[in-house]
Amino acid sequence: MIVAIDGPSGSGKSSVAREVARRCGLTYLDTGAMYRSVAYLCLERGVDPADDEATERVAREARIEFVPDGEGQRVIANGEDVTAQIRTPEVERAVSPVSANPAVREVMVALQRAAGAAGDVVAEGRDIGTVVFPAADVKVFLCASPEARARRRAVQRLGGNLATGDVVEVDAEAERTILDDLVRRDAYDSTREASPLRPADDACRIDSSDLGFEEVVDAVVSLSPELAARAQKGRS
Ligand code: DC
């Protein structure tokens, strides 16, 4: 079975997709980490992310693997563990032009489909329900207000996680900068020509602004009898 979860940065997609996968015995596929890995490899090799042809070559040569690690997973790109490196502000800046490159998307979508063909998957990203798996069994578009998303990101950067109740004090100035970046990235992701961020017509929209983490996960699981049965089986 394929579960597609799309939405903007900071909507809680990653935590929710990972937890749905854990509860329902599915494999979690973080497609954002794939675009981030290509952006990281470009920066490492001195390739300008705005140079479409050079970036496409980097994407074609990239071997991206996900290795389970305790509750999470590590991201390995061309044999190097890049789990932390792909979350830096430098990579965040480089990933927009990389992911707007149609040739890069073609390579990544083929890899994502291959991962889906191999088994039961919860994939999260921007174009999963619209392009990668248009026939997914369950499609969710997870959104939240820009302010709620900026707060989550700010807490995350300081090592906290609002999803798990691990709250840390954040600096208002830093939160403002994150909000500005996020609004800019949303606009870029939603207006780019190649697979812009938009909900699939048949996606179920969930607004997580005022919902707790467990409530969002429960809402996703309850969308499909098969998911609910899998979660039930996982508990017993
Ligand atoms: O979800 P994220 O923040 O890790 O995504 C990183 C970037 O990759 C973001 O700018 C959007 C882009 N992306 C995309 O274009 N398509 C996807 N399926 C996943 C991510």
Side-chain angles (χ1 to χ4, degrees):
M1 109 172 278
I2 306 266
V3 179
I5 303 186
D6 290 302
S9 316
S11 55
K13 288 187 313 288
S14 305
S15 313
V16 169
R18 199 177 299 120
E19 178 61 9
V20 170
R22 192 193 66 76
R23 278 197 204 172
C24 302
L26 302 163
T27 302
Y28 166 55
L29 182 64
D30 177 357
T31 65
M34 299 173 72
Y35 291 98
R36 286 170 182 268
S37 295
V38 175
Y40 169 78
L41 292 172
C42 286
L43 295 180
E44 204 194 27
R45 294 177 186 186
V47 167
D48 178 357
D51 179 340
D52 283 353
E53 280 177 22
T55 303
E56 177 186 349
R57 275 198 296 280
V58 172
R60 289 199 186 281
E61 288 164 11
R63 279 178 297 106
I64 303 168
E65 299 156 86
F66 294 98
V67 178
D69 177 29
E71 290 288 285
Q73 55 182 208
R74 307 208 68 79
V75 186
I76 313 293
N78 290 352
E80 181 189 353
D81 186 334
V82 297
T83 314
Q85 288 87 331
I86 62 171
R87 306 283 159 195
T88 61
E90 291 75 28
V91 169
E92 297 246 302
R93 274 192 293 275
V95 73
S96 281
V98 166
S99 61
N101 180 334
V104 171
R105 299 201 74 84
E106 199 184 300
V107 176
M108 294 298 120
V109 168
L111 294 175
Q112 291 154 16
R113 287 190 179 142
D120 293 329
V121 162
V122 180
E124 58 108 340
R126 304 292 190 288
D127 59 343
I128 309 300
T130 50
V131 176
V132 183
F133 298 121
D137 303 274
V138 178
K139 292 186 191 179
V140 176
F141 193 82
L142 197 56
C143 50
S145 67
E147 290 74 19
R149 294 189 283 128
R151 165 61 51 91
R152 286 184 194 143
R153 269 287 141 91
V155 169
Q156 239 171 33
R157 289 247 171 103
L158 294 174
N161 187 347
L162 291 181
T164 55
D166 189 3
V167 183
V168 291
E169 199 62 37
V170 295
D171 174 58
E173 183 68 28
E175 194 175 324
R176 181 80 227 166
T177 308
I178 291 175
L179 177 62
D180 292 345
D181 276 357
L182 210 134
V183 169
R184 202 171 321 118
R185 204 136 65 91
D186 278 359
Y188 193 99
D189 289 346
S190 316
T191 55
R192 70 183 179 207
E193 249 173 66
S195 306
L197 170 67
R198 67 167 181 83
D201 292 339
D202 51 350
C204 172
R205 261 175 191 272
I206 300 176
D207 186 331
S208 70
S209 308
D210 299 316
L211 294 177
F213 174 64
E214 295 289 328
E215 287 175 298
V216 180
V217 174
D218 288 345
V220 173
V221 170
S222 68
L223 287 175
S224 140
E226 184 179 346
L227 270 186
R230 278 174 169 268
Q232 181 66 39
K233 198 168 151 211
R235 270 199 301 271
S236 54

